[in-house]
Amino acid sequence: MEEQEQRRIETFEKIQAAESVQEGVHILRDNYSIEHASYHLAQTVAGSVNIDAPYVKTTYPAEWVGHYVMKGYVNVDPVIKEGVKRLLPFDWSELEPDESAIGLFTDFQTFGLDPNGYSIPIIDKVSRRALLSLNGGKDGEDWSSIVEQYREDWSELGYVLHKKAISELFGESDPTPALAPRELEVLHWTALGKDHKDIGVIIGISENTIRSYSRSARYKLDCSSLSQAVAKAIQMRLINPK
């Protein structure tokens, strides 16, 4: 577990320091047991989804990307179609593509690409939508085992890529993040030296739920560790643990 946590923090910090989202998806791919990673910004303003948006950064080979575009596969790709509608991550094995997507999947494998994949919808606080997709286990590893081990890491790193994409596109700097009361409460008790189990007892909710709140607080504060998030929250006067 310590090794995985170190991998997540290292990847988080490398993506933050990357010069571009394109570099970021390569970092994500290289630091985990996957063959490819893709980030697709499908919605730049609330209420306006455009699955054919030009902002896509991927590690797929140029030959496949060119073929995909030439064939217009974005219009039938079930991963993209579902990804811009769903709220929760999904494995590609859950999809039921219609006949229009048969050519896409046939060509995908003809190009030597692994049909196993996992996609994470991203919805930020101003309702912009994006999709992070990862596929292809390396070294003969079982895909479901890879997903089980790393899905929480990938969800967090997807938001890091998304923030970099928004900055890359619009040069915007988001205002002070709007943390939920429970997120602030978790940060407050963490600052006072309580662990997730202790906080769950104090607040009266499960330890897993506490972990979810601490994770989402880190996302919003753009921090790789909970200790960094606590320090930033104190610095920004979001909490006052005395």
Side-chain angles (χ1 to χ4, degrees), residues 109-237:
Q109 294 184 63
T110 299
F111 274 75
L113 301 171
D114 193 316
N116 292 303
Y118 186 75
S119 292
I120 302 161
I122 298 166
I123 307 171
D124 66 20
K125 63 185 179 182
V126 292
S127 299
R128 290 174 297 227
R129 294 197 64 124
L131 186 68
L132 175 66
S133 294
L134 310 108
N135 85 294
K138 291 184 176 180
D139 303 322
E141 291 185 71
D142 177 66
W143 178 249
S144 60
S145 298
I146 295 172
V147 172
E148 179 67 25
Q149 183 174 4
Y150 296 125
R151 59 187 178 184
E152 289 190 1
D153 290 10
W154 293 343
S155 290
E156 176 173 345
L157 296 167
Y159 277 90
V160 182
L161 282 169
H162 180 63
K163 184 167 184 177
K164 183 170 288 292
I166 294 302
S167 176
E168 195 169 285
L169 277 170
F170 306 114
E172 69 177 43
S173 178
D174 284 349
T176 301
L179 272 68
R182 284 296 196 196
E183 293 166 344
L184 291 170
E185 201 170 1
V186 168
L187 291 175
H188 170 83
W189 286 111
T190 301
L192 293 175
K194 305 298 183 182
D195 62 19
H196 289 130
K197 185 176 182 180
D198 293 334
I199 299 171
V201 172
I202 294 168
I203 297 178
I205 55 181
S206 73
E207 183 178 349
N208 281 340
T209 303
I210 295 297
R211 290 183 185 279
S212 294
Y213 282 128
S214 67
R215 233 185 353 260
S216 60
R218 286 196 292 104
Y219 296 164
K220 292 178 181 180
L221 290 168
D222 197 26
C223 293
S224 64
S225 68
L226 188 54
S227 60
Q228 286 181 0
V230 168
K232 189 169 185 178
I234 293 172
Q235 182 181 25
M236 299 175 75
R237 299 185 180 181

Side-chain angles (χ1 to χ4, degrees), residues 62-78:
E63 294 79 9
W64 167 248
V65 174
H67 183 76
Y68 182 96
V69 172
M70 182 182 69
K71 290 284 189 177
Y73 281 149
V74 69
N75 298 307
V76 298
D77 190 339

